[in-house]
């Protein structure tokens, strides 16, 4: 899964992020997917520089994905009862 460039709630086009999630298994576990994100910083919309986001950002994204996946899985199990 690859997102488009996202600028957040404030709509600041000078700083954006793009997220890629690669699934390597169907299990719900931190080892079952990888998260890589890139940050784009532009100088007043003219000159832009793209770089890898920090490991901290990727870890936070992975945590949020895991929480949501667990929540969805619990709802699916409960709906089958």
């Amino acid at each position: 899964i690859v997102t488009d460039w996202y600028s957040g709630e404030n709509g600041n086009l000078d700083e954006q992020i793009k997220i890629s999630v690669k699934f390597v298994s169907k299990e719900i576990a931190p080892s079952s997917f990888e998260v890589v994100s890139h940050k784009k910083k532009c100088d007043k919309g003219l000159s832009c520089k793209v770089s890898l986001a920090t490991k901290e950002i990727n870890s936070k994204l992975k945590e949020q994905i895991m929480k949501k996946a667990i929540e969805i899985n619990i709802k699916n199990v409960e709906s089958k009862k």
Side-chain angles (χ1 to χ4, degrees), residues 35 37 54-65:
V35 175
S37 57
T54 64
K55 289 182 182 181
E56 181 182 344
I57 290 172
N58 291 335
S59 293
K60 286 181 181 181
L61 290 167
K62 195 167 189 169
E63 264 182 49
Q64 293 300 315
I65 292 168

Side-chain angles (χ1 to χ4, degrees), residues 1 7 10 12-13 17 19-20 25 30 36 39 49 57-58 71:
I1 299 172
S7 59
N10 62 3
N12 180 5
L13 296 177
I17 189 167
I19 303 165
S20 300
S25 108
V36 177
K39 289 181 84 172
K49 180 181 177 183
I57 290 172
N58 291 335
E71 181 182 307

Side-chain angles (χ1 to χ4, degrees), residues 31-50:
S31 61
S32 65
F33 65 99
E34 301 169 3
V35 175
V36 177
S37 57
H38 292 82
K39 289 181 84 172
K40 178 168 68 170
K41 289 189 177 186
C42 300
D43 182 26
K44 298 182 183 176
L46 301 173
S47 175
C48 298
K49 180 181 177 183
V50 177

